[in-house]
Amino acid sequence: MAIRRASLAAAAILPVGGPSGVPGQNGRDGTNGRDGVVRSIAGVSKPDLTLVDIGAAPAVPSRFLIDGGATVTPQDVYTSAFPGVALSDTSQAVLDVAPGDQRDNLSAVAGYVRTRSGGAGFVGKGNAVALFGCVQIAANYSAGWGGNILITDHTERAVSNGTGRIATGFELDFNIMSPNTHVTGISIGGNSLSQPTDANGFLVNSLGTGIKWNAGFWSLDGCARYALVAGVLEISGKNIGSQPILLQYFDGSGVKQTSQIQAAGGFAVISGAPNGLKLSFGNVGLDPGYVFTVGGVQVVAGRKTGWTAGSGTPNRGSFNADYTQTMGASYSQAQIQALQNQLLATQQRLLALESDLRAHGLIGA
């Protein structure tokens, strides 16, 4: 788990000074004096902002833009989450919201874009990005993060009893006015040349040692037509199944096992579950005309109707299907009675079968 963040190339800071960010140089949209105090940004007076030198990072001056009324530094904020870790960022911004401040949408760093290029198709040119970063991992055993946000709900790393605090990692709002606009909440992809041995689109980690999320993913009521869509395993072909969904569990020996759900061959296929499918509650429902099959052979279909229930005493006890009765040249009363008894036993056996088939719903009125 990362405890450091990727460097923040804060484009919003650039208009304060020249390209080098050195106090005293006029920027394209901002001016400042040699004392480092920002006089204006894009023609708007900002006397409460100060550009402060906090030392040197490798090859690039480290600076941060700080609100003149702030009582904390970036290091103060970060130390509250991870004590003992020193910052070494290219650019920093800190926002200190005072007690009782009722303003909305206060931001430490923000980007604003208006695009009128007219060249953006489904995958086109002329696209615009409010905040952008690029990371190059140029040496073995190095790691890079495109973005990393750390949120803490306390001023120190200690258990607290604070109330009414809300921590939201990312909120993406889309105010769409045209039904013809293509909307994508989050898109992950790339232009790779090699297939990585380990590549996961989304990874849910713990909130801490033994501390869990209530749900790894939750689609709220009425918010989506489909909660999840798993596409085909390949982009084209014949008899290609869907991308499978894997479910893992520990068996009685503590060994992790994996079951798989996949659409293939016209079926929803469950595999890797040695005990098969189990329903803890509820019923299995089939629409009319559908049946249960084993190896492609029908074994159970819909109810056969037109049956009138039999009467009498069913026999689910012992039954000798091999019983025979020896008959003499002249029938005796005992022989006829034995045949009658066997016929009665057969009738009772048939009634038992009928009753059970009716109870299972395979036959009925």
Side-chain angles (χ1 to χ4, degrees), residues 222-293:
C223 291
R225 290 191 175 93
Y226 303 97
L228 174 67
V229 177
V232 185
L233 193 58
E234 304 293 342
I235 60 174
S236 63
K238 297 181 179 180
N239 296 322
I240 307 297
S242 70
Q243 300 166 32
I245 298 175
L246 304 182
L247 304 175
Q248 297 184 323
Y249 67 99
F250 290 111
D251 63 16
S253 300
V255 178
K256 181 180 284 188
Q257 304 289 349
T258 300
S259 298
Q260 175 176 297
I261 301 176
Q262 183 182 28
F267 293 92
V269 181
I270 300 176
S271 59
N275 295 326
L277 177 65
K278 176 182 177 181
L279 294 181
S280 298
F281 62 91
N283 303 313
V284 176
L286 295 180
D287 288 337
Y290 292 94
V291 301
F292 288 95
T293 64

Side-chain angles (χ1 to χ4, degrees), residues 23 75 106 119 146 218 224 279 302-303 326 330 361:
Q75 184 66 65
L106 302 177
W218 193 325
L279 294 181
R303 173 181 291 182
T326 302
S330 59

Side-chain angles (χ1 to χ4, degrees), residues 7 18 33 71 109 121 160 191 197 207 240 249 277 286 314 316 326 340 345 356:
S7 295
T71 59
V109 176
S160 78
N191 192 22
T197 55
L207 281 170
I240 307 297
Y249 67 99
L277 177 65
L286 295 180
R316 295 183 177 87
T326 302
Q340 173 64 27
D356 289 348

